[in-house]
Amino acid sequence: MSEKLKRLKELLGEVSDLNKAASVLGWDQQVNMPPKGAEGRGQQLATLGKIAQDKFTSDEVGKLLDDLKREFEGAEASNDDAAMIRVTARNYDKAKRVPSEFVAEQAIVATQGFKAWVEAKGKSDFSIFLPALQKNVELLEKYISFFPPADHPYDTLLDDYEPGMKTADVKAIFDGLRPKQVKLIKAIADSKQVKDDFLHKKYNEKKLWDFGVDVITQYGYDWSRGRQDKAPHPFETSFNVNDVRITTRFEADNPLATLFSTLHEAGHAMYEQGSHPSYERTPLAGGTSLAIHESQSRMWENLVGRSMPFWEHFYPTLKKTFSSQLDGVSLKTFYKGINKVEPSLIRVNADEATYNLHIMLRLELEIGMVEGTLALKDLPEIWNEKMREYFGITPPNDAKGVLQDIHWSYGSVGYFSTYALGNLVSAQLWEKINQDIRDLDEQIRQGNFSELLGWLRAKVHVHGHKYDPQDLVQMITGSKITPQPYVRYLTKKYSEIYGL
Amino acid sequence: MSEKLKRLKELLGEVSDLNKAASVLGWDQQVNMPPKGAEGRGQQLATLGKIAQDKFTSDEVGKLLDDLKREFEGAEASNDDAAMIRVTARNYDKAKRVPSEFVAEQAIVATQGFKAWVEAKGKSDFSIFLPALQKNVELLEKYISFFPPADHPYDTLLDDYEPGMKTADVKAIFDGLRPKQVKLIKAIADSKQVKDDFLHKKYNEKKLWDFGVDVITQYGYDWSRGRQDKAPHPFETSFNVNDVRITTRFEADNPLATLFSTLHEAGHAMYEQGSHPSYERTPLAGGTSLAIHESQSRMWENLVGRSMPFWEHFYPTLKKTFSSQLDGVSLKTFYKGINKVEPSLIRVNADEATYNLHIMLRLELEIGMVEGTLALKDLPEIWNEKMREYFGITPPNDAKGVLQDIHWSYGSVGYFSTYALGNLVSAQLWEKINQDIRDLDEQIRQGNFSELLGWLRAKVHVHGHKYDPQDLVQMITGSKITPQPYVRYLTKKYSEIYGL
């Protein structure tokens, strides 16, 4: 290895150590921290972030990158070091464009925004949140101004979550998806609704937890390199390839959510556990984008975890564990119940068929916010209109409408699409997997997930951040992200369930 | 505040944030980390340590300290900023004297030493540990050589744990203590032994845990600024004044140890929780020395937690909780049982009366090691001789003898004395407290600890690191650390228990 590359890796290793240390502090904050520890923790996180940022944007890193870009010019796409330099140089360029005073200002505005949002949501009063949102959007405009003009200003935001993805791409994908998904939901609405009362009985938390642990153990989540804890919001976080943790929560009125959130987060975690060990302490470690990450979590949660073969394997055990709750509930009834489609107000509780529409609604509003074609004060009204248009329902208040999501409160705009894109990618990969593993259903029916995980490891996980999302999907499936496989998946699944 | 002082506090704040972040990572490593996470965590800790050290020993900090020392020359001892500058300057001087290559070398030797010690202890074979110990001692000599010659080379090591304390002081203190303590133990050995079989029955772990939690809640440990977890070794750690955590462990063959270790660690934690909030993110935050720290933990564990008034309050509840184990065991029998004195091989399990002798033995050996008057290869033999001299027993093997403690494996020499000094200080403070709070026994009998904690807060805790240990003890009790109060305490307590 050249001396320059060695030195760059040394510096990036330190930056990674600082960022990962911050992740440990963040995890602890969610999982363990006593209530009054927040202020001190906030200072520690701010210091780690600042030092990591200073180290990363140092002139030495810039000089090394310039030299190494030349050294690796013309290297093959498969060259790890070349990829590392490319990804690092992109991150460096972004980081250099954003002044540290701006980062500090944004952090303050985000904190204020979050506070205002909590209060506004509590009182279900959008006007409390409006001034903070205004400030956050102003900062986004400023943020965009640091970058060269793109085809669309929203591109700059999107690129932070989905490197290389354009607003026009996402719009085109969603335009192809929307009518088909709306049509499907209409057809389902005209059918006889399935039963799911058995899902809303009282379930023992500990037993559900244990059941989820058993499932993800069979999935292949490596407990010697991870752990699960309780937290107010389920999430996955990684401190290094050998320490990838997940959290879950128990919802008394929706107990099975504990299980599905465990499967979801384990999907994220297995992605991170599969990143190539040689990428450790470099920007290639971990998942390549939020959409690809979400494709993994949604696959293990939905395409596997809400499938008939899965429950052919696991339902007998579940039924034995919860014999009174599931008394008289056949496998088929259970399967239909956990796949019930129902237009609903809240995104995070939405089923597979309606979920993406929640995302599209948000994308349209975000684009309007960034373009300036939408007056922020009109957001609640526009939100409710779109809810009527897509779902035929009107939120009874802002808390269950425009105020439901946390993201905008801290200036996170451009994030939502990745959820829907993740769904699409999960189905796109799934079609390819089923071509490669012809008896996948049968394997799942036997509770055998090793070939599936092995496929994902080899095709997706091991590459870490090496390939951009669109390139990775193209490489694996032969085309960029496309909605058709997901439409086919939904149509087939729900035609059976609802007898369409 | 002068600009220079402001800037210094800013820099020290960052150093503190880095060190405290490392503490979070260290806590997590003990409490949560999955087995394979160790390597990555080690790198993160090394990076944090290196950056903190570089930041602290920067020329800017040195220059500011020089200027501020002049600015605060002649300030009163009670001036917080002057104290902060004094303590920081001392730490800075120490840190500057030790080259970073040496620190790195010592870290490697410590890791090797720990490994060798684990193996040697496992096989009970000192010769496996000897080469690693040799290296560690060589590095200690080198470490001492970085500092100006002291009255005794051991002074330099001691000063890292007990600022301002001299080897001659400790020797004098221990010389005053040893004969009295040996005499007491002989007298006890000639008396009828007390019963304690009821302590070694099977106790339910969860119930013991809950009982301990109830006790320290009554003590005044603030749960909104702390938590307790399980860990292989009990310890206390603080991330800031509002996040001070403790751990405990369950020992099946010594179940009550869970309770007493909770009381012990809570004593440490309440000290840290009581540090003045304005000292946060400066070197004045936290406890002033290990001995003062230990005085707090031993006080709440022993002077309070193994006292008759304490159990007059808590025994009825304990007896109700463990009715079968304590069936027919009177309060008096129980009290005697938990205070049983027995010469034993293992320091950490030693009772109050014999504990200090374990320490004195180690101090004598450490001084010999540092002076070079003791051949390391002879350690097992000398150890065993001293065990016979002090306790009249001979360790059956090195694992239960010279290899029992972890400290020397990573080059920690100078630490042990602080345990014994802590015991002495606890009794010295205790006499003063009982002069100031005349009905303390009665308060404890009522389960009321608030006046006691208030006293400690005001006299000890709030000062953080502001006063050196000897000065603090002098300020509070009117004399420096002295063994007499502890001797009086032990003699009175054990005369009653053993009818001497």
Side-chain angles (χ1 to χ4, degrees):
Chain A
M1 201 193 307
S2 82
E3 277 307 308
K4 282 176 183 167
L5 186 57
K6 209 176 134 192
R7 176 68 183 148
L8 180 67
K9 285 193 175 175
E10 202 174 289
L11 292 170
L12 295 177
E14 288 185 355
V15 173
S16 163
D17 288 338
L18 287 161
N19 286 328
K20 293 302 189 177
S23 297
V24 178
L25 268 61
W27 173 86
D28 181 79
Q29 191 165 24
Q30 299 292 318
V31 173
N32 299 306
M33 199 180 70
K36 293 189 178 157
E39 194 190 333
R41 183 60 54 89
Q43 275 167 326
Q44 289 154 8
L45 283 168
T47 295
L48 290 178
K50 181 178 164 291
I51 297 173
Q53 177 78 356
D54 288 350
K55 275 203 171 277
F56 181 56
T57 57
S58 73
D59 292 342
E60 186 183 2
V61 169
K63 181 77 176 59
L64 286 166
L65 283 170
D66 281 345
D67 293 350
L68 287 164
K69 272 193 282 188
R70 267 193 299 277
E71 191 178 321
F72 281 86
E73 214 157 57
E76 287 182 25
S78 63
N79 184 310
D80 279 351
D81 289 329
M84 194 274 282
I85 290 158
R86 180 179 50 76
V87 170
T88 307
R90 182 171 60 202
N91 296 350
Y92 182 84
D93 175 66
K94 283 194 183 188
K96 284 299 267 190
R97 287 178 181 278
V98 186
S100 55
E101 308 81 58
F102 177 84
V103 175
E105 189 186 356
Q106 207 175 30
I108 293 165
V109 170
T111 307
Q112 293 166 342
F114 174 72
K115 267 189 168 167
W117 172 75
V118 169
E119 193 195 338
K121 193 179 175 192
K123 297 181 177 163
S124 192
D125 180 352
F126 180 77
S127 72
I128 297 170
F129 180 50
L130 182 58
L133 180 62
Q134 203 98 41
K135 266 198 219 161
N136 269 300
V137 172
E138 276 164 27
L139 284 189
L140 286 173
E141 283 162 11
K142 200 167 168 188
Y143 179 82
I144 292 167
S145 77
F146 296 137
F147 292 85
D151 300 341
H152 191 286
Y154 191 77
D155 285 359
T156 305
L157 304 179
L158 196 56
D159 196 76
D160 286 346
Y161 304 105
E162 287 304 304
M165 183 72 77
K166 303 282 178 199
T167 310
D169 299 339
V170 180
K171 270 186 169 170
I173 292 168
F174 285 5
D175 285 347
L177 181 62
R178 192 182 300 101
K180 288 172 188 156
Q181 216 162 339
V182 170
K183 196 178 143 207
L184 178 69
I185 294 166
K186 292 256 153 73
I188 292 173
D190 294 340
S191 313
K192 188 167 174 278
Q193 186 52 289
V194 301
K195 275 180 58 175
D196 74 340
D197 55 303
F198 47 86
L199 296 178
H200 302 286
K201 295 184 174 171
K202 222 179 147 210
Y203 282 68
N204 176 280
E205 183 176 350
K206 169 86 171 59
K207 285 182 182 174
L208 264 179
W209 173 284
D210 290 344
F211 187 82
V213 165
D214 285 346
V215 173
I216 66 174
T217 304
Q218 289 195 48
Y219 272 2
Y221 175 72
D222 183 350
W223 292 97
S224 74
R225 302 191 287 138
R227 53 181 284 133
Q228 181 176 251
D229 293 88
K230 277 177 75 172
H233 301 279
F235 66 96
E236 171 274 323
T237 184
S238 132
F239 308 144
N240 58 66
V241 70
N242 292 320
D243 191 350
V244 183
R245 306 186 186 182
I246 59 175
T247 68
T248 190
R249 69 174 162 198
F250 184 71
E251 297 172 57
D253 55 347
N254 190 13
L256 268 287
T258 305
L259 171 64
F260 288 110
S261 109
T262 293
L263 308 191
H264 181 96
E265 301 307 334
H268 283 301
M270 291 188 289
Y271 187 6
E272 295 275 329
Q273 287 185 333
S275 168
H276 199 290
S278 71
Y279 296 166
E280 278 299 281
R281 301 176 81 234
T282 81
L284 291 193
T288 190
S289 80
L290 291 183
I292 305 299
H293 239 299
E294 202 69 8
S295 78
Q296 300 305 293
S297 57
R298 300 294 268 183
M299 186 183 288
W300 290 103
E301 176 194 358
N302 291 333
L303 284 87
V304 178
R306 291 186 207 261
S307 74
M308 187 48 120
F310 176 96
W311 286 107
E312 286 180 68
H313 179 72
F314 283 109
Y315 191 59
T317 314
L318 189 79
K319 196 163 175 171
K320 208 182 287 169
T321 313
F322 298 103
S323 52
S324 72
Q325 292 88 339
L326 298 172
D327 184 36
V329 179
S330 71
L331 168 63
K332 208 169 162 185
T333 306
F334 178 81
Y335 169 72
K336 288 183 176 184
I338 58 167
N339 284 295
K340 183 181 177 183
V341 173
E342 197 167 39
S344 62
L345 297 167
I346 307 297
R347 175 184 60 84
V348 295
N349 299 335
D351 53 75
E352 282 183 89
T354 58
Y355 189 91
N356 286 347
L357 288 178
H358 289 274
I359 298 304
M360 292 182 216
L361 179 158
R362 285 158 179 77
L363 177 73
E364 289 161 38
L365 300 187
E366 287 190 350
I367 290 177
M369 280 156 64
V370 171
E371 281 176 345
T373 51
L374 178 153
L376 294 180
K377 67 169 177 42
D378 298 335
L379 267 176
E381 205 179 313
I382 305 177
W383 181 286
N384 292 350
E385 264 169 38
K386 288 208 179 279
M387 283 301 293
R388 276 189 291 273
E389 185 189 336
Y390 290 170
F391 299 106
I393 52 178
T394 307
N397 57 44
D398 289 347
K400 293 188 170 171
V402 68
L403 287 173
Q404 68 182 263
D405 294 307
I406 190 177
H407 303 58
W408 294 342
S409 79
Y410 55 86
S412 178
V413 167
Y415 194 121
F416 281 122
S417 332
T418 68
Y419 293 127
L421 293 172
N423 284 330
L424 305 188
V425 174
S426 72
Q428 198 170 340
L429 293 175
W430 195 246
E431 287 194 349
K432 178 67 180 153
I433 292 166
N434 278 276
Q435 286 164 21
D436 290 354
I437 311 176
R438 305 305 301 199
D439 63 338
L440 181 59
D441 273 5
E442 184 51 31
Q443 292 187 15
I444 294 176
R445 207 170 281 122
Q446 303 297 328
N448 178 2
F449 304 96
S450 59
E451 205 177 338
L452 171 59
L453 181 57
W455 191 99
L456 292 168
R457 282 263 190 274
K459 305 277 188 183
V460 181
H461 302 180
V462 74
H463 297 307
H465 219 292
K466 182 172 177 179
Y467 302 108
D468 280 353
Q470 288 278 41
D471 297 339
L472 183 71
V473 174
Q474 169 90 45
M475 229 171 70
I476 299 172
T477 70
S479 82
K480 292 192 185 299
I481 301 174
T482 159
Q484 278 76 35
Y486 196 64
V487 171
R488 282 194 286 270
Y489 161 72
L490 284 186
T491 308
K492 178 162 183 288
K493 178 169 186 172
Y494 289 104
S495 295
E496 282 166 20
I497 291 173
Y498 282 95
L500 307 178
Chain B
M1 200 191 310
S2 82
E3 277 308 309
K4 281 178 184 167
L5 185 58
K6 209 177 134 191
R7 175 68 184 149
L8 180 67
K9 285 193 175 176
E10 202 174 288
L11 292 170
L12 294 178
E14 289 185 356
V15 173
S16 163
D17 288 338
L18 287 162
N19 287 328
K20 293 300 189 179
S23 298
V24 178
L25 268 60
W27 173 86
D28 180 79
Q29 191 165 23
Q30 299 292 318
V31 174
N32 299 306
M33 197 180 71
K36 292 190 179 158
E39 193 190 331
R41 181 60 53 89
Q43 274 168 327
Q44 290 154 8
L45 283 168
T47 295
L48 291 178
K50 181 178 163 292
I51 297 173
Q53 176 79 354
D54 288 350
K55 274 201 171 279
F56 181 57
T57 56
S58 73
D59 292 343
E60 187 183 2
V61 170
K63 181 81 176 58
L64 286 166
L65 283 170
D66 280 346
D67 293 350
L68 287 163
K69 271 191 285 190
R70 268 192 299 276
E71 193 177 321
F72 281 86
E73 214 155 55
E76 286 181 25
S78 64
N79 184 310
D80 279 352
D81 289 329
M84 195 274 282
I85 290 158
R86 180 179 51 77
V87 170
T88 307
R90 181 171 59 200
N91 296 350
Y92 182 83
D93 175 64
K94 283 195 183 189
K96 284 298 268 192
R97 286 179 182 278
V98 185
S100 55
E101 307 82 59
F102 177 84
V103 176
E105 189 187 355
Q106 206 174 32
I108 293 165
V109 170
T111 307
Q112 293 166 344
F114 175 71
K115 266 188 168 170
W117 172 74
V118 169
E119 195 197 336
K121 193 179 175 192
K123 297 182 179 164
S124 192
D125 181 353
F126 180 76
S127 71
I128 296 172
F129 179 49
L130 181 59
L133 180 62
Q134 202 99 41
K135 266 196 219 163
N136 269 300
V137 172
E138 277 164 28
L139 285 188
L140 286 174
E141 283 162 12
K142 201 166 165 186
Y143 179 83
I144 292 168
S145 76
F146 296 137
F147 293 85
D151 300 340
H152 191 285
Y154 191 77
D155 284 359
T156 305
L157 304 179
L158 196 57
D159 195 76
D160 287 347
Y161 304 104
E162 287 304 304
M165 182 72 78
K166 303 283 177 200
T167 310
D169 299 339
V170 181
K171 269 187 170 171
I173 293 168
F174 285 4
D175 285 346
L177 182 62
R178 193 182 299 102
K180 289 172 187 153
Q181 216 162 340
V182 170
K183 194 178 145 209
L184 178 69
I185 294 167
K186 292 254 153 75
I188 292 173
D190 293 340
S191 314
K192 187 164 174 279
Q193 187 52 289
V194 302
K195 273 181 60 175
D196 73 340
D197 55 303
F198 47 86
L199 297 178
H200 301 286
K201 296 185 172 171
K202 224 180 144 207
Y203 281 70
N204 177 280
E205 181 176 351
K206 168 88 171 57
K207 285 182 183 174
L208 265 179
W209 173 285
D210 290 344
F211 186 82
V213 164
D214 285 347
V215 173
I216 65 174
T217 304
Q218 289 195 49
Y219 270 2
Y221 175 72
D222 183 349
W223 293 97
S224 75
R225 303 191 287 138
R227 54 180 285 133
Q228 180 176 248
D229 293 87
K230 277 176 75 171
H233 300 280
F235 65 96
E236 171 274 324
T237 183
S238 131
F239 308 143
N240 58 67
V241 71
N242 292 319
D243 191 350
V244 183
R245 306 186 186 181
I246 59 175
T247 68
T248 190
R249 69 173 162 199
F250 184 71
E251 296 172 58
D253 54 347
N254 190 13
L256 268 287
T258 304
L259 170 64
F260 288 110
S261 108
T262 293
L263 307 191
H264 182 96
E265 301 307 333
H268 283 301
M270 290 187 291
Y271 186 8
E272 296 276 328
Q273 287 185 335
S275 168
H276 199 290
S278 72
Y279 297 165
E280 279 299 282
R281 301 176 81 233
T282 81
L284 290 194
T288 191
S289 79
L290 292 184
I292 305 299
H293 239 298
E294 201 69 9
S295 79
Q296 300 305 292
S297 56
R298 301 292 269 185
M299 186 183 289
W300 290 102
E301 177 195 356
N302 291 332
L303 285 85
V304 178
R306 291 186 206 261
S307 74
M308 188 48 120
F310 176 95
W311 286 107
E312 286 179 70
H313 180 72
F314 282 110
Y315 192 60
T317 314
L318 189 78
K319 196 163 175 171
K320 208 183 287 170
T321 313
F322 298 102
S323 52
S324 71
Q325 292 88 339
L326 298 172
D327 185 35
V329 179
S330 71
L331 168 62
K332 207 169 163 187
T333 306
F334 177 80
Y335 169 72
K336 288 184 176 183
I338 59 167
N339 284 296
K340 182 181 176 183
V341 173
E342 197 168 39
S344 63
L345 296 167
I346 307 296
R347 174 184 60 85
V348 295
N349 299 335
D351 52 75
E352 283 184 88
T354 57
Y355 189 91
N356 285 348
L357 289 179
H358 289 274
I359 297 303
M360 292 181 215
L361 179 159
R362 284 157 181 77
L363 177 73
E364 291 162 37
L365 299 187
E366 285 190 351
I367 291 178
M369 279 156 64
V370 171
E371 282 177 343
T373 51
L374 178 154
L376 296 179
K377 68 169 177 37
D378 298 335
L379 267 175
E381 205 179 313
I382 305 176
W383 181 285
N384 292 351
E385 264 168 38
K386 289 207 178 282
M387 284 301 293
R388 274 189 293 273
E389 184 188 337
Y390 290 170
F391 299 107
I393 52 178
T394 307
N397 56 44
D398 289 348
K400 293 187 171 170
V402 68
L403 287 173
Q404 68 182 263
D405 294 307
I406 191 177
H407 304 59
W408 294 342
S409 80
Y410 55 87
S412 177
V413 168
Y415 194 121
F416 282 121
S417 332
T418 68
Y419 292 127
L421 293 172
N423 284 330
L424 305 189
V425 174
S426 72
Q428 198 170 343
L429 293 175
W430 196 246
E431 287 195 349
K432 178 69 179 150
I433 291 166
N434 278 277
Q435 286 164 19
D436 290 355
I437 311 176
R438 306 303 302 197
D439 64 339
L440 181 59
D441 273 4
E442 184 51 31
Q443 292 187 15
I444 294 176
R445 207 170 282 121
Q446 303 296 327
N448 179 2
F449 304 95
S450 58
E451 206 178 336
L452 171 59
L453 180 58
W455 191 99
L456 292 168
R457 282 262 190 276
K459 305 277 186 183
V460 181
H461 303 181
V462 74
H463 298 306
H465 220 292
K466 181 172 177 178
Y467 302 108
D468 280 353
Q470 288 278 41
D471 296 339
L472 183 71
V473 174
Q474 169 90 46
M475 228 171 72
I476 300 172
T477 68
S479 81
K480 292 192 186 299
I481 301 176
T482 158
Q484 277 76 37
Y486 196 64
V487 171
R488 283 193 285 269
Y489 161 72
L490 284 185
T491 308
K492 178 161 184 288
K493 179 168 184 172
Y494 289 103
S495 296
E496 281 166 21
I497 291 174
Y498 282 94
L500 307 179

